[in-house]
């Protein structure tokens, strides 16, 4: 295994991040001597645990592929590995981060730079954007965002904020004059929406990948019997956090799943005093290591009391726990496993149901609940119906073309549902419209347990996701972003579509223009992976090429195009630089548009705030 590991590691790094080869576009390329210093510290201080990973100890490959160098430095200076780093200098700590990731840490502002003079005074208004989908139905539609379609072509950059990291994941929430954004390293920031000054930041202890959810806790709901405006978000260790939006103090935190490498990616949703949080895992990646005991994780939705974090129920996608099965090459594995939930749940208040989309399997033990839309009873999480669109889609990273180790046979295409199903009421119809990584959009009949009314293939599917983080709708039409991104070629086209939700008919399609990327020609893909958002008459979509664009909802004409892939002076002092837009995308509230730029695929550290001229 000694010889095999580095190959696997370097493969994984390129496969997952796609950025190792062009560090010159972001921070400088790492120095050889820093790497060898890091290697020797790793061997003496870290390897005893991490090269024999078990239980909660993440394997080296997992750290190397899912953590930015800045995250590793934070873990060793602020986080769980502080004791293991006792006595190491800042330089030695940096050398470990460079050794593990083969990347130089980027410029960073202090978390306390540019603090606001006055404390935050969060107030909920009907015009906020406080959850992933903005409403319970996951429309991602802002009916009254204080910004008209006529103003959109005149949007101007007001300020930028540079996160202390290189890959911005989550989606911000806007509440009154505050914007709360996480997603870089393990920190969540609350900023003033007008000026970008920092009200507070919160160190979560692990990468925060979910979007931010904000809502009210009444005195009867909260543990201290005081009313709070709270922000909820989840981290890469499967922990859900609730903080006070006024000062960033933690109200509670709760681990949602006992599985050692469970994580939270989908944004939680709030309804009637309960937070519903989706749970996913790293097993699909970790199992690429043939030594990893594959696989036991089952995706779930967990309901907790919003005020205390007390778990009310946990509803698993896969119905039964894993048991011993025989793998492709006679190896004993465990399964079924998988069925992660990566997206915010959708609430059907009328029927008291919750809809979620699930991901693939990790083993060839079949389940009826993977790559499916599930309807759960809100009161207790009991399954009401299950609509699977692809059977036996078992996938583990790096298994293409081989049936070694944990690789399932046959290997599936990894066609997860990774975005929220949208609930739509049209005439006498009630529909769920959802797109999968396969590139196909489905119309499900919500009145008849999810019968498939229509399906429309829009793009060639892949494990990168032909439809990834989510569509929007304005109550009449749906708008889907598609991607044919190829990791190997680090390029690929994207198209924005408008569909009739009753039939799946294509109303218009606009291919992403082949605009140059601010960082150069490498890794300049025009795919659309990020979530789409809307105002009346306008669709916003961010692209892998770093451009944020506004489209006319009537005909798909591009109304506005801003290149975020450049360097900017940030309000908090550090150099800001934009990269690919490929996750949460943009939110609109109170006359402003907020965009996150920078991802694991093309680094960047920006939150950009736009307002009309
Ligand atoms: C005694 C065993 C042990 C040693 C020695 C050790 N670690 Fe860890 N490490 C762990 C465990 C256990 C976790 C998971 C902790 C958790 O999830 O709460 C972890 C987690 C981590 C993480 C991931 C944290 C995150 O963000 O999720 C990093 C990075 C890490 N260790 C780096 C190191 C480095 C670098 C060293 C050497 C300086 C080191 N570790 C030494 C046991 C160890």
């Amino acid at each position: 295994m000694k010889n095999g590991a580095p190959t696997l590691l370097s493969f994984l790094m390129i496969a997952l991040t796609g950025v190792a080869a062009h560090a010159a576009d972001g921070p400088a390329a790492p120095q050889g001597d820093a790497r060898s210093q890091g290697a020797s510290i790793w061997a003496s201080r870290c390897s005893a645990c991490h090269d024999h990973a078990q239980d909660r100890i993440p394997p080296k490959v997992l750290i190397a592929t899912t953590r930015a160098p800045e995250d590793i430095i934070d873990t060793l200076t602020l986080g769980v590995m502080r004791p293991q780093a006792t006595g190491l200098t800042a330089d030695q700590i940096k050398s470990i981060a460079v050794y593990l990731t083969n990347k130089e840490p980027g410029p960073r502002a202090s978390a306390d730079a540019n603090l606001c003079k006055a404390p935050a005074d969060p107030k909920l208004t009907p015009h906020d954007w406080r959850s992933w989908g903005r409403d319970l139905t996951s429309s991602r539609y802002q009916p009254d965002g204080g910004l008209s379609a006529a103003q959109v072509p005149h949007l101007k950059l007001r300020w930028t904020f540079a996160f202390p990291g290189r890959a911005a994941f989550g989606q911000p929430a806007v509440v009154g004059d505050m914007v709360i954004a996480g997603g870089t390293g393990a920190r969540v920031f609350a900023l003033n929406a007008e000026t970008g000054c920092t009200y507070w930041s919160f160190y979560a202890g692990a990468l925060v990948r979910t979007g931010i959810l904000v809502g009210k806790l009444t005195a009867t709901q909260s543990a201290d019997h005081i009313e709070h405006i709270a922000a909820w978000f989840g981290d890469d260790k499967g922990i859900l956090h609730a903080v006070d939006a006024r000062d960033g103090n933690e109200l509670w935190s709760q681990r949602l799943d006992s599985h050692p490498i469970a994580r939270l990616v989908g944004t939680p949703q709030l309804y009637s005093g309960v937070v519903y949080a989706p749970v996913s895992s790293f097993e699909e990646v970790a199992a690429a290591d043939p030594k990893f005991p594959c696989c036991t994780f089952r995706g779930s939705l967990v309901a907790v009391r919003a005020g205390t974090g007390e778990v009310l129920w946990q509803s698993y996608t896969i119905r039964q726990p894993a048991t011993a099965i025989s793998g492709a090459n006679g190896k004993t594995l465990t399964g079924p496993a998988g069925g992660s939930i990566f997206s915010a749940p959708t609430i059907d208040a009328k029927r008291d149901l919750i809809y979620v989309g699930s991901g693939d399997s990790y083993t060839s033990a079949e389940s009826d609940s993977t790559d499916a839309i599930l309807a759960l009873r809100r009161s207790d999480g009991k399954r009401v119906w299950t609509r699977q669109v692809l059977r036996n889609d078992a996938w583990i990273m790096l298994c293409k073309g081989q049936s070694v180790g944990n690789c399932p046979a046959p290997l599936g295409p990894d066609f997860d549902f990774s975005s929220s199903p949208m609930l739509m009421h049209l005439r006498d119809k009630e529909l769920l419209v959802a797109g999968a990584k396969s590139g196909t959009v489905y119309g499900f009949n919500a009145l008849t347990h999810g019968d498939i009314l229509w399906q429309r293939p829009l793009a060639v599917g892949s494990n990168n996701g032909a439809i990834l983080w989510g569509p929007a709708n304005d109550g009449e039409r749906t708008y889907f972003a598609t991607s044919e991104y190829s990791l190997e070629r680090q390029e690929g086209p994207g198209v924005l579509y408008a569909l009739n939700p009753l039939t799946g008919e294509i109303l218009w399609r606009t291919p992403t223009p082949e605009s140059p990327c601010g960082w150069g020609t490498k890794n300049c893909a025009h795919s659309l992976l990020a979530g789409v958002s809307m105002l009346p008459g306008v669709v916003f979509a961010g692209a892998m090429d770093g451009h944020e664009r506004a489209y006319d909802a009537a005909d798909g004409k591009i109304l506005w195009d801003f290149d975020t892939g450049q360097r900017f002076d940030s309000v908090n002092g550090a150099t800001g630089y934009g990269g690919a837009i490929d996750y949460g995308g943009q939110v609109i509230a109170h006359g402003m548009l907020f965009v996150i730029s920078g991802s694991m695929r093309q680094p960047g550290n920006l939150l950009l705030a736009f307002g009309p001229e």
Side-chain angles (χ1 to χ4, degrees), residues 42 45-46 49-50 56-58 63 67 72 75-76 80-81 84 96 205-206 237:
W42 177 267
R45 288 220 185 197
C46 322
C49 292
H50 287 282
R56 288 200 60 77
I57 308 176
I63 299 175
R67 300 290 190 267
I72 294 170
T75 301
L76 296 174
V80 281
M81 289 291 103
Q84 281 71 24
I96 305 174
K237 288 195 184 140

Side-chain angles (χ1 to χ4, degrees), residues 552-575:
D552 189 327
D555 58 11
K557 204 171 115 253
I558 294 176
L559 302 171
W560 177 77
D561 181 329
F562 186 92
D563 179 9
T564 71
Q566 317 168 43
R567 293 192 177 251
F568 297 90
D569 292 328
S570 69
V571 288
N572 54 327
T575 306

Side-chain angles (χ1 to χ4, degrees), residues 335-389:
S340 279
I341 306 177
F342 302 106
S343 56
T346 296
I347 311 255
D348 185 338
K350 187 161 121 193
R351 282 179 198 79
D352 234 11
L353 294 180
I354 306 181
Y355 305 110
V356 290
S358 65
D360 63 5
S361 297
Y362 305 158
T363 70
S364 44
E366 270 204 67
S367 157
D368 72 343
S369 306
T370 52
D371 292 352
I373 302 293
L374 316 177
L376 312 177
R377 201 157 67 187
R378 201 172 64 78
S379 55
D380 57 6
K382 194 175 163 293
R383 187 86 57 89
V384 177
W385 55 258
T386 305
R387 187 64 52 188
Q388 185 174 45
V389 304

Side-chain angles (χ1 to χ4, degrees), residues 66-299:
T66 60
R67 300 290 190 267
E70 294 85 355
D71 300 337
I72 294 170
I73 292 171
D74 284 350
T75 301
L76 296 174
T77 52
L78 305 165
V80 281
M81 289 291 103
R82 251 177 320 174
Q84 281 71 24
T86 313
L88 294 178
T89 65
D91 222 49
Q92 289 172 317
I93 287 176
K94 186 176 132 185
S95 74
I96 305 174
V98 169
Y99 162 66
L100 287 171
T101 62
N102 199 28
K103 283 175 228 158
E104 197 68 34
R108 299 223 280 176
S110 139
D112 298 331
N114 193 34
L115 292 177
C116 300
K117 305 275 181 297
D121 185 19
K123 290 198 172 59
L124 303 186
T125 85
H127 316 302
D128 297 335
W129 189 303
R130 300 198 295 257
S131 64
W132 176 266
R134 210 206 60 83
D135 54 23
L136 296 176
T137 66
S138 302
S139 73
R140 300 182 59 87
Y141 178 70
Q142 171 59 283
D144 194 4
L147 199 60
S148 70
Q151 286 173 308
V152 167
H154 309 291
L155 283 171
K156 288 278 175 301
L157 183 63
R158 291 273 180 82
W159 50 264
T160 62
F161 177 83
F163 289 110
R166 69 170 58 211
F169 288 100
Q171 174 175 289
V174 184
V175 45
D177 74 347
M178 289 179 86
V179 49
I180 307 179
T184 303
R187 219 173 258 285
V188 170
F189 287 87
L191 310 175
N192 177 283
E194 285 285 304
T195 66
C197 70
T198 301
Y199 284 126
W200 50 260
S201 77
F202 173 82
Y203 184 71
L207 177 67
V208 174
R209 268 206 68 146
T210 72
I212 310 289
L213 169 72
V214 178
K216 184 153 123 181
L217 285 180
T218 63
T220 37
Q221 289 166 346
S222 72
D224 58 8
H225 308 296
I226 299 172
E227 191 177 297
H228 296 272
I229 306 295
W232 295 268
F233 44 85
D235 73 25
D236 256 3
K237 288 195 184 140
I239 295 174
L240 185 67
H241 302 265
V243 305
D244 189 323
R246 191 175 300 277
D247 51 22
N249 288 336
E250 185 157 84
L251 297 169
W252 52 261
S253 67
Q254 176 72 266
R255 186 181 299 282
L256 295 188
D257 196 286
S258 57
H259 194 281
I261 51 174
R263 67 190 306 208
L264 306 182
V265 172
T267 306
Q269 175 74 286
L270 174 70
Y271 186 63
S272 195
V274 179
V275 170
Y276 300 93
V279 184
S280 55
S281 89
F282 283 112
E283 258 194 344
E284 203 175 42
V285 179
D289 181 344
K291 286 180 301 184
F292 182 87
C294 171
C295 284
T296 53
F297 174 80
R298 291 186 289 159

Side-chain angles (χ1 to χ4, degrees), residues 372-443:
I373 302 293
L374 316 177
L376 312 177
R377 201 157 67 187
R378 201 172 64 78
S379 55
D380 57 6
K382 194 175 163 293
R383 187 86 57 89
V384 177
W385 55 258
T386 305
R387 187 64 52 188
Q388 185 174 45
V389 304
L390 182 61
R391 277 183 58 190
N392 201 14
D393 173 14
W395 189 86
I396 294 287
M397 177 151 261
L398 296 185
C399 284
K400 202 170 173 184
Q402 44 185 346
S403 59
V404 296
N406 296 315
C407 293
L411 186 69
D414 183 16
F415 284 168
D416 309 325
F417 277 108
S418 54
S419 51
S420 310
M422 303 186 292
L423 179 62
M424 297 185 70
H425 295 223
L426 281 136
R427 301 188 215 136
D428 55 342
K429 302 261 187 340
E430 296 190 37
L431 300 158
L432 286 164
V433 183
K437 280 166 65 175
S438 61
T440 295
V441 180
Y442 298 85

